[in-house]
Amino acid sequence: MSTPPQSSFRITSAPNIVYGKWDADRFETQSTDWVQVPSAEISLALGQGKPSYGARFVATFSAEALCSDTNNDGQGLLQATVFFGDGQGEPLSGNHRFATARGNPEWSNHTLIRTVHFDPDFAARDVTARVKLKTQGASGGVQNWFLKVERFNI
């Protein structure tokens, strides 16, 4: 179980492990529910027999994104975040604006950072990092993306 959200933290050492994954394929959606970007995930685990019992993870996701308005009101948006297991990383918000549909839609580069802290526990836990998207009054997608996760063992 993760600890309550913190608005800041301090790390005084290099990450124990850095994971990276990328893909050039385009993925587009019009879903208003969170949908995973295909293959945009990094397997992470905690607990007995895993790299650590607890950890802080810091995920950086960068991609070329496109958002096209479907309501013709200029308010469409593409939202993105990183889930760790079943929960979203911090900062947690109902307004994760990754790209908007204002102006003439074209591919442009965007980046987000999310973090999560899991207290030490002997139980094995799957906390795989997954990038998910959803739209609001828009269609949108990503291509040429890179996902990096830094692991700081506790």
Side-chain angles (χ1 to χ4, degrees):
M1 180 69 112
S2 63
T3 59
Q6 300 172 356
S7 61
S8 68
F9 59 88
R10 183 173 178 219
I11 297 172
T12 59
S13 63
N16 295 96
I17 305 170
V18 178
Y19 308 86
K21 191 168 187 182
W22 63 89
D23 198 337
D25 290 346
R26 181 180 295 180
F27 172 72
E28 295 185 49
T29 184
Q30 283 189 295
S31 178
T32 56
D33 295 320
W34 290 113
V35 293
Q36 183 178 332
V37 175
S39 74
E41 70 177 48
I42 294 175
S43 295
L44 303 169
L46 296 168
Q48 192 80 23
K50 308 303 179 198
S52 63
Y53 294 108
R56 172 168 298 280
F57 297 100
V58 178
T60 303
F61 177 71
S62 184
E64 294 172 2
L66 178 70
C67 183
S68 300
D69 199 7
T70 57
N71 293 338
N72 297 318
D73 62 2
Q75 300 300 311
L77 57 100
L78 173 67
Q79 296 175 303
T81 197
V82 178
F83 279 72
F84 294 89
D86 295 330
Q88 290 187 53
E90 298 289 337
L92 186 58
S93 166
N95 188 16
H96 293 299
R97 293 173 176 258
F98 194 63
T100 63
R102 296 182 187 213
N104 296 323
E106 63 180 60
W107 292 97
S108 57
N109 196 52
H110 299 266
T111 299
L112 64 81
I113 298 174
R114 296 290 181 266
T115 186
V116 68
H117 175 95
F118 292 97
D119 286 328
D121 191 330
F122 288 112
R125 296 172 279 171
D126 178 0
V127 294
T128 295
R130 293 177 175 87
V131 177
K132 295 187 179 185
L133 307 176
K134 71 178 180 177
T135 62
Q136 183 177 331
S139 63
V142 294
Q143 66 182 14
N144 299 324
W145 56 261
F146 182 79
L147 172 62
K148 177 178 81 170
V149 175
E150 297 169 288
R151 179 187 193 119
F152 300 88
N153 293 337
I154 298 174

mmCIF file of all heavy atoms in Angstrom, residues 67-96:
data_model
loop_
_atom_site.group_PDB
_atom_site.id
_atom_site.type_symbol
_atom_site.label_atom_id
_atom_site.label_comp_id
_atom_site.label_asym_id
_atom_site.label_seq_id
_atom_site.Cartn_x
_atom_site.Cartn_y
_atom_site.Cartn_z
ATOM 1 N N CYS A 67 -3.852 16.308 -30.727
ATOM 2 C CA CYS A 67 -5.194 16.374 -30.172
ATOM 3 C C CYS A 67 -6.071 17.140 -31.150
ATOM 4 O O CYS A 67 -5.751 18.279 -31.508
ATOM 5 C CB CYS A 67 -5.162 17.066 -28.812
ATOM 6 S SG CYS A 67 -6.752 17.116 -27.986
ATOM 7 N N SER A 68 -7.158 16.519 -31.594
ATOM 8 C CA SER A 68 -8.092 17.154 -32.531
ATOM 9 C C SER A 68 -9.453 17.286 -31.881
ATOM 10 O O SER A 68 -9.978 16.333 -31.299
ATOM 11 C CB SER A 68 -8.217 16.314 -33.806
ATOM 12 O OG SER A 68 -6.978 16.191 -34.446
ATOM 13 N N ASP A 69 -10.022 18.455 -31.976
ATOM 14 C CA ASP A 69 -11.317 18.779 -31.380
ATOM 15 C C ASP A 69 -12.440 18.012 -32.077
ATOM 16 O O ASP A 69 -12.526 18.008 -33.301
ATOM 17 C CB ASP A 69 -11.545 20.286 -31.512
ATOM 18 C CG ASP A 69 -12.587 20.823 -30.583
ATOM 19 O OD1 ASP A 69 -13.076 20.086 -29.725
ATOM 20 O OD2 ASP A 69 -12.914 22.017 -30.729
ATOM 21 N N THR A 70 -13.314 17.346 -31.313
ATOM 22 C CA THR A 70 -14.464 16.653 -31.914
ATOM 23 C C THR A 70 -15.766 17.419 -31.700
ATOM 24 O O THR A 70 -16.752 17.140 -32.357
ATOM 25 C CB THR A 70 -14.619 15.228 -31.344
ATOM 26 O OG1 THR A 70 -14.756 15.299 -29.928
ATOM 27 C CG2 THR A 70 -13.436 14.361 -31.731
ATOM 28 N N ASN A 71 -15.780 18.390 -30.794
ATOM 29 C CA ASN A 71 -16.991 19.172 -30.518
ATOM 30 C C ASN A 71 -16.980 20.522 -31.219
ATOM 31 O O ASN A 71 -17.918 21.307 -31.070
ATOM 32 C CB ASN A 71 -17.158 19.398 -29.010
ATOM 33 C CG ASN A 71 -17.435 18.113 -28.268
ATOM 34 O OD1 ASN A 71 -17.891 17.135 -28.839
ATOM 35 N ND2 ASN A 71 -17.146 18.109 -26.979
ATOM 36 N N ASN A 72 -15.904 20.820 -31.932
ATOM 37 C CA ASN A 72 -15.763 22.104 -32.642
ATOM 38 C C ASN A 72 -15.931 23.316 -31.722
ATOM 39 O O ASN A 72 -16.449 24.346 -32.127
ATOM 40 C CB ASN A 72 -16.745 22.193 -33.816
ATOM 41 C CG ASN A 72 -16.472 21.137 -34.848
ATOM 42 O OD1 ASN A 72 -15.311 20.880 -35.181
ATOM 43 N ND2 ASN A 72 -17.527 20.512 -35.361
ATOM 44 N N ASP A 73 -15.494 23.181 -30.464
ATOM 45 C CA ASP A 73 -15.572 24.303 -29.529
ATOM 46 C C ASP A 73 -14.193 24.747 -29.041
ATOM 47 O O ASP A 73 -14.086 25.631 -28.202
ATOM 48 C CB ASP A 73 -16.464 23.949 -28.338
ATOM 49 C CG ASP A 73 -15.951 22.778 -27.505
ATOM 50 O OD1 ASP A 73 -14.860 22.247 -27.821
ATOM 51 O OD2 ASP A 73 -16.644 22.391 -26.545
ATOM 52 N N GLY A 74 -13.131 24.118 -29.550
ATOM 53 C CA GLY A 74 -11.780 24.499 -29.163
ATOM 54 C C GLY A 74 -11.377 24.068 -27.768
ATOM 55 O O GLY A 74 -10.339 24.468 -27.269
ATOM 56 N N GLN A 75 -12.192 23.233 -27.126
ATOM 57 C CA GLN A 75 -11.925 22.845 -25.741
ATOM 58 C C GLN A 75 -11.451 21.405 -25.589
ATOM 59 O O GLN A 75 -11.259 20.935 -24.477
ATOM 60 C CB GLN A 75 -13.191 23.044 -24.890
ATOM 61 C CG GLN A 75 -13.695 24.464 -24.869
ATOM 62 C CD GLN A 75 -12.661 25.429 -24.311
ATOM 63 O OE1 GLN A 75 -12.094 25.181 -23.248
ATOM 64 N NE2 GLN A 75 -12.405 26.506 -25.017
ATOM 65 N N GLY A 76 -11.273 20.678 -26.688
ATOM 66 C CA GLY A 76 -10.867 19.280 -26.612
ATOM 67 C C GLY A 76 -9.485 19.114 -26.000
ATOM 68 O O GLY A 76 -8.603 19.954 -26.180
ATOM 69 N N LEU A 77 -9.302 18.005 -25.280
ATOM 70 C CA LEU A 77 -7.978 17.747 -24.720
ATOM 71 C C LEU A 77 -7.672 16.271 -24.631
ATOM 72 O O LEU A 77 -8.553 15.430 -24.560
ATOM 73 C CB LEU A 77 -7.804 18.413 -23.352
ATOM 74 C CG LEU A 77 -8.764 18.099 -22.231
ATOM 75 C CD1 LEU A 77 -8.161 17.098 -21.267
ATOM 76 C CD2 LEU A 77 -9.049 19.379 -21.487
ATOM 77 N N LEU A 78 -6.381 16.008 -24.682
ATOM 78 C CA LEU A 78 -5.825 14.670 -24.508
ATOM 79 C C LEU A 78 -5.161 14.651 -23.145
ATOM 80 O O LEU A 78 -4.300 15.481 -22.862
ATOM 81 C CB LEU A 78 -4.797 14.369 -25.609
ATOM 82 C CG LEU A 78 -4.015 13.067 -25.466
ATOM 83 C CD1 LEU A 78 -4.944 11.858 -25.642
ATOM 84 C CD2 LEU A 78 -2.884 13.021 -26.489
ATOM 85 N N GLN A 79 -5.590 13.717 -22.295
ATOM 86 C CA GLN A 79 -5.018 13.590 -20.969
ATOM 87 C C GLN A 79 -4.098 12.376 -20.936
ATOM 88 O O GLN A 79 -4.336 11.393 -21.636
ATOM 89 C CB GLN A 79 -6.127 13.442 -19.927
ATOM 90 C CG GLN A 79 -7.008 14.678 -19.853
ATOM 91 C CD GLN A 79 -8.175 14.481 -18.913
ATOM 92 O OE1 GLN A 79 -8.960 13.572 -19.083
ATOM 93 N NE2 GLN A 79 -8.264 15.342 -17.915
ATOM 94 N N ALA A 80 -3.055 12.442 -20.126
ATOM 95 C CA ALA A 80 -2.100 11.343 -19.989
ATOM 96 C C ALA A 80 -1.624 11.274 -18.545
ATOM 97 O O ALA A 80 -1.540 12.296 -17.856
ATOM 98 C CB ALA A 80 -0.906 11.559 -20.917
ATOM 99 N N THR A 81 -1.317 10.062 -18.095
ATOM 100 C CA THR A 81 -0.732 9.867 -16.779
ATOM 101 C C THR A 81 -0.050 8.506 -16.735
ATOM 102 O O THR A 81 -0.099 7.754 -17.694
ATOM 103 C CB THR A 81 -1.779 10.020 -15.651
ATOM 104 O OG1 THR A 81 -1.099 10.202 -14.410
ATOM 105 C CG2 THR A 81 -2.715 8.835 -15.582
ATOM 106 N N VAL A 82 0.592 8.212 -15.604
ATOM 107 C CA VAL A 82 1.239 6.926 -15.404
ATOM 108 C C VAL A 82 0.575 6.247 -14.211
ATOM 109 O O VAL A 82 0.442 6.849 -13.143
ATOM 110 C CB VAL A 82 2.758 7.081 -15.144
ATOM 111 C CG1 VAL A 82 3.400 5.722 -14.894
ATOM 112 C CG2 VAL A 82 3.426 7.796 -16.310
ATOM 113 N N PHE A 83 0.136 5.016 -14.425
ATOM 114 C CA PHE A 83 -0.398 4.186 -13.355
ATOM 115 C C PHE A 83 0.721 3.273 -12.867
ATOM 116 O O PHE A 83 1.517 2.778 -13.665
ATOM 117 C CB PHE A 83 -1.557 3.316 -13.862
ATOM 118 C CG PHE A 83 -2.872 4.032 -13.944
ATOM 119 C CD1 PHE A 83 -3.116 4.988 -14.917
ATOM 120 C CD2 PHE A 83 -3.888 3.735 -13.052
ATOM 121 C CE1 PHE A 83 -4.337 5.639 -15.003
ATOM 122 C CE2 PHE A 83 -5.115 4.376 -13.122
ATOM 123 C CZ PHE A 83 -5.346 5.338 -14.100
ATOM 124 N N PHE A 84 0.782 3.050 -11.564
ATOM 125 C CA PHE A 84 1.688 2.084 -10.950
ATOM 126 C C PHE A 84 0.796 1.034 -10.313
ATOM 127 O O PHE A 84 0.115 1.321 -9.333
ATOM 128 C CB PHE A 84 2.582 2.745 -9.903
ATOM 129 C CG PHE A 84 3.554 3.734 -10.481
ATOM 130 C CD1 PHE A 84 3.210 5.063 -10.632
ATOM 131 C CD2 PHE A 84 4.816 3.324 -10.885
ATOM 132 C CE1 PHE A 84 4.112 5.972 -11.167
ATOM 133 C CE2 PHE A 84 5.716 4.231 -11.418
ATOM 134 C CZ PHE A 84 5.358 5.555 -11.564
ATOM 135 N N GLY A 85 0.753 -0.161 -10.907
ATOM 136 C CA GLY A 85 -0.236 -1.135 -10.467
ATOM 137 C C GLY A 85 -1.609 -0.587 -10.816
ATOM 138 O O GLY A 85 -1.852 -0.173 -11.942
ATOM 139 N N ASP A 86 -2.505 -0.552 -9.818
ATOM 140 C CA ASP A 86 -3.867 -0.064 -10.064
ATOM 141 C C ASP A 86 -4.062 1.413 -9.766
ATOM 142 O O ASP A 86 -5.144 1.950 -10.002
ATOM 143 C CB ASP A 86 -4.859 -0.863 -9.207
ATOM 144 C CG ASP A 86 -4.922 -2.324 -9.604
ATOM 145 O OD1 ASP A 86 -4.688 -2.621 -10.798
ATOM 146 O OD2 ASP A 86 -5.192 -3.174 -8.727
ATOM 147 N N GLY A 87 -3.040 2.084 -9.229
ATOM 148 C CA GLY A 87 -3.202 3.481 -8.835
ATOM 149 C C GLY A 87 -2.365 4.435 -9.664
ATOM 150 O O GLY A 87 -1.321 4.072 -10.191
ATOM 151 N N GLN A 88 -2.840 5.663 -9.768
ATOM 152 C CA GLN A 88 -2.121 6.697 -10.507
ATOM 153 C C GLN A 88 -0.975 7.262 -9.687
ATOM 154 O O GLN A 88 -1.063 7.357 -8.465
ATOM 155 C CB GLN A 88 -3.059 7.859 -10.849
ATOM 156 C CG GLN A 88 -4.099 7.532 -11.879
ATOM 157 C CD GLN A 88 -4.861 8.783 -12.264
ATOM 158 O OE1 GLN A 88 -4.260 9.781 -12.636
ATOM 159 N NE2 GLN A 88 -6.176 8.722 -12.192
ATOM 160 N N GLY A 89 0.072 7.667 -10.394
ATOM 161 C CA GLY A 89 1.177 8.358 -9.754
ATOM 162 C C GLY A 89 0.781 9.787 -9.406
ATOM 163 O O GLY A 89 -0.213 10.314 -9.889
ATOM 164 N N GLU A 90 1.571 10.397 -8.562
ATOM 165 C CA GLU A 90 1.356 11.794 -8.148
ATOM 166 C C GLU A 90 2.133 12.725 -9.082
ATOM 167 O O GLU A 90 3.169 12.316 -9.595
ATOM 168 C CB GLU A 90 1.838 11.998 -6.705
ATOM 169 C CG GLU A 90 1.089 11.167 -5.689
ATOM 170 C CD GLU A 90 -0.336 11.629 -5.453
ATOM 171 O OE1 GLU A 90 -0.634 12.821 -5.731
ATOM 172 O OE2 GLU A 90 -1.147 10.815 -5.013
ATOM 173 N N PRO A 91 1.764 13.957 -9.296
ATOM 174 C CA PRO A 91 0.571 14.561 -8.727
ATOM 175 C C PRO A 91 -0.690 13.993 -9.367
ATOM 176 O O PRO A 91 -0.738 13.735 -10.565
ATOM 177 C CB PRO A 91 0.726 16.043 -9.026
ATOM 178 C CG PRO A 91 1.653 16.124 -10.183
ATOM 179 C CD PRO A 91 2.520 14.905 -10.110
ATOM 180 N N LEU A 92 -1.685 13.803 -8.529
ATOM 181 C CA LEU A 92 -2.955 13.230 -8.937
ATOM 182 C C LEU A 92 -3.941 14.368 -9.167
ATOM 183 O O LEU A 92 -4.087 15.253 -8.332
ATOM 184 C CB LEU A 92 -3.464 12.295 -7.846
ATOM 185 C CG LEU A 92 -4.710 11.497 -8.132
ATOM 186 C CD1 LEU A 92 -4.523 10.627 -9.362
ATOM 187 C CD2 LEU A 92 -5.068 10.639 -6.931
ATOM 188 N N SER A 93 -4.590 14.329 -10.326
ATOM 189 C CA SER A 93 -5.498 15.411 -10.678
ATOM 190 C C SER A 93 -6.555 14.894 -11.641
ATOM 191 O O SER A 93 -6.309 13.926 -12.371
ATOM 192 C CB SER A 93 -4.703 16.544 -11.350
ATOM 193 O OG SER A 93 -5.551 17.462 -11.992
ATOM 194 N N GLY A 94 -7.683 15.538 -11.684
ATOM 195 C CA GLY A 94 -8.701 15.228 -12.686
ATOM 196 C C GLY A 94 -8.464 16.007 -13.958
ATOM 197 O O GLY A 94 -9.285 15.993 -14.864
ATOM 198 N N ASN A 95 -7.340 16.699 -14.028
ATOM 199 C CA ASN A 95 -7.094 17.606 -15.145
ATOM 200 C C ASN A 95 -5.667 17.440 -15.667
ATOM 201 O O ASN A 95 -4.874 18.367 -15.644
ATOM 202 C CB ASN A 95 -7.327 19.051 -14.678
ATOM 203 C CG ASN A 95 -7.277 20.035 -15.815
ATOM 204 O OD1 ASN A 95 -7.361 19.664 -16.984
ATOM 205 N ND2 ASN A 95 -7.142 21.288 -15.486
ATOM 206 N N HIS A 96 -5.328 16.242 -16.134
ATOM 207 C CA HIS A 96 -3.998 15.976 -16.677
ATOM 208 C C HIS A 96 -3.950 16.377 -18.148
ATOM 209 O O HIS A 96 -4.062 15.540 -19.035
ATOM 210 C CB HIS A 96 -3.632 14.488 -16.542
ATOM 211 C CG HIS A 96 -3.462 14.024 -15.136
ATOM 212 N ND1 HIS A 96 -2.519 14.555 -14.293
ATOM 213 C CD2 HIS A 96 -4.099 13.069 -14.427
ATOM 214 C CE1 HIS A 96 -2.584 13.947 -13.125
ATOM 215 N NE2 HIS A 96 -3.541 13.049 -13.181
#
